[in-house]
Amino acid sequence: MGFLMADLNLRVTKIETLTSGIKSFWLESGDGALLPEWTAGAHLVFTLNGALKKSYSLAGDPAVRDHYLTAILREEGGEGGSKYMHDVVAVGDILTASQPQNNFHLAETAKKHLLIAGGIGVTPLLAMSHTLKSQGADFHLHYCSKARQGTAFADEIETLFAEHVTFHFDGGDPSKGIKLNEILAQPDDGQHLYICGPGGLLNATREAARHWPDGTVHFELFSSTRSDEEKQTIAQAAQGDQPFEIKLMSNGKQLAVPADQSIFEVLRDNGIMLPSACEEGWCGNCVATYTAGEVDHRDECLDDDERKTQLQTCVSRAAAGEVLVLDL
Ligand code: FES
């Protein structure tokens, strides 16, 4: 489990400006050793500026172990993680990051893979494309962005994946972009879909794939897709939260989760550090497996199938007096 793994110290060895808003970062181990293994779809949780936690997906080839590659869009809003990476971090700096975490796996049993990337959401899908190509798998990447000029890794992706990739440039008007209803009309037998990109594309893709079989649609969020009103309603409803219990499978310990604390906080206070970043239920980092109890799921990142056995500890709760048994 993630809470047993030590953080990594990664040396920034190269920074490239890919587009006017996107930079890529090469990261090597501080002591020159090979980096921990990872699988396509994984990300690192960076602790920036001593406290701020931000997840960035790995974009390179998982078979390459001497460096990690990530690419980051500089965002004006938000908590400043991307601004820090763009404006402060320099070659030679050492960054603290988690071990690679993966909540966005390629489905091992899939016969065919359809990947849809929006903008900087291409990063985990680029890693997936490397793996799928090396496996000789049947896959296709649809890469959506405004214009070729602002499209990170466009040349590299075209060269590497040639007939496996289609670019969709909409000039800023989504109605001129990818035709989701056509592309997703008829899932092939054993086909799985992977989406990563901005909320609008993600919601539209999930809507257009509503008829795909359960468990075949996978997605990774870069931010919450909830509106401010929805967030407000959720915050108001949280006033009525009740205390409940969690039980740890490893030692049988039962812990109380008070009305004003999350499972994540109670675990942390008891020495169990799960990875975390958003603490709002969308990044997927703080996931835990549970084996008993009825969960009040409040995340945005798990699908119905995953929710049968997993929960996001930063937001999900249970009814008063319920005992959730966690595989921790
Ligand atoms: S920390 Fe992001 S989902 Fe819990």
Side-chain angles (χ1 to χ4, degrees):
M1 285 300 303
F3 65 92
L4 293 174
M5 294 183 184
D7 277 348
L8 304 171
N9 288 321
L10 299 171
R11 185 184 302 278
V12 181
T13 52
K14 186 154 70 164
I15 300 175
E16 283 183 314
T17 300
L18 302 182
T19 73
S20 61
I22 300 173
K23 282 184 179 177
S24 69
F25 297 81
W26 280 54
L27 305 160
E28 296 180 26
S29 69
D31 58 6
L34 286 184
L35 291 162
E37 285 185 50
W38 61 286
T39 51
H43 63 272
L44 303 177
V45 183
F46 289 87
T47 305
L48 301 175
N49 213 4
L52 187 61
K53 294 208 171 182
K54 295 298 288 180
S55 304
Y56 295 117
S57 294
L58 295 177
D61 182 348
V64 173
R65 298 273 308 283
D66 64 355
H67 72 274
Y68 292 146
L69 172 70
T70 188
I72 298 172
L73 170 70
R74 189 181 188 282
E75 288 171 291
E76 278 309 322
E79 297 164 300
S82 67
K83 275 189 264 185
Y84 183 83
M85 288 297 287
H86 272 249
D87 304 346
V88 179
V89 171
V91 169
D93 285 359
I94 301 281
L95 297 176
T96 303
S98 68
Q99 300 269 337
Q101 314 285 328
N102 198 342
N103 310 318
F104 190 40
H105 293 277
L106 284 166
E108 280 175 20
T109 54
K111 293 183 191 156
K112 213 171 164 176
H113 307 260
L114 187 61
L115 283 49
I116 298 184
I120 193 62
V122 76
T123 47
L125 301 181
L126 182 48
M128 286 181 174
S129 300
H130 279 292
T131 296
L132 292 168
K133 188 182 173 194
S134 71
Q135 290 172 348
D138 185 345
F139 77 101
H140 198 88
L141 168 66
H142 291 276
Y143 188 0
C144 310
S145 86
K146 206 162 151 185
R148 180 157 184 129
Q149 209 186 12
T151 302
F153 303 113
D155 293 345
E156 178 185 336
I157 287 176
E158 200 159 55
T159 308
L160 276 171
F161 305 119
E163 74 279 9
H164 294 286
V165 61
T166 306
F167 291 94
H168 303 266
F169 302 121
D170 66 9
D173 176 359
S175 71
K176 299 205 173 81
I178 186 169
K179 301 285 176 264
L180 290 168
N181 286 330
E182 284 169 30
I183 289 169
L184 302 173
Q186 189 65 54
D188 290 332
D189 180 40
Q191 189 172 29
H192 281 239
L193 171 64
Y194 310 83
I195 320 151
C196 188
L201 176 74
L202 199 113
N203 289 340
T205 309
R206 289 174 72 195
E207 187 56 42
R210 210 161 266 286
H211 58 293
W212 280 50
D214 285 353
T216 61
V217 178
H218 314 271
F219 59 93
E220 174 112 303
L221 295 178
F222 275 9
S223 62
S224 172
T225 60
R226 288 179 176 143
S227 66
D228 287 348
E229 289 87 58
E230 282 173 308
K231 285 183 187 166
Q232 231 168 33
T233 313
I234 291 166
Q236 267 160 14
Q239 310 275 337
D241 283 348
Q242 299 290 321
F244 59 97
E245 308 261 318
I246 52 174
K247 189 171 175 179
L248 309 180
M249 267 171 73
S250 58
N251 57 13
K253 228 176 172 182
Q254 197 148 320
L255 304 168
V257 182
D260 61 352
Q261 272 200 299
S262 66
I263 298 174
F264 177 84
E265 289 168 329
V266 170
L267 289 170
R268 184 193 56 199
D269 294 348
N270 283 275
I272 298 175
M273 282 305 294
L274 293 180
S276 73
C278 74
E279 297 194 27
E280 291 179 345
W282 54 262
C283 77
N285 282 300
C286 66
V287 70
T289 300
Y290 69 96
T291 56
E294 193 164 334
V295 179
D296 173 5
H297 291 282
R298 298 183 182 181
D299 65 278
E300 294 182 65
C301 55
L302 298 173
D303 63 30
D304 290 347
D305 223 34
E306 291 166 330
R307 283 182 171 184
K308 290 177 193 155
T309 55
Q310 296 173 26
L311 62 91
Q312 294 306 136
T313 57
C314 66
V315 287
S316 292
R317 305 189 60 83
E322 182 77 15
V323 182
L324 302 180
V325 181
L326 303 183
D327 188 8
L328 288 172

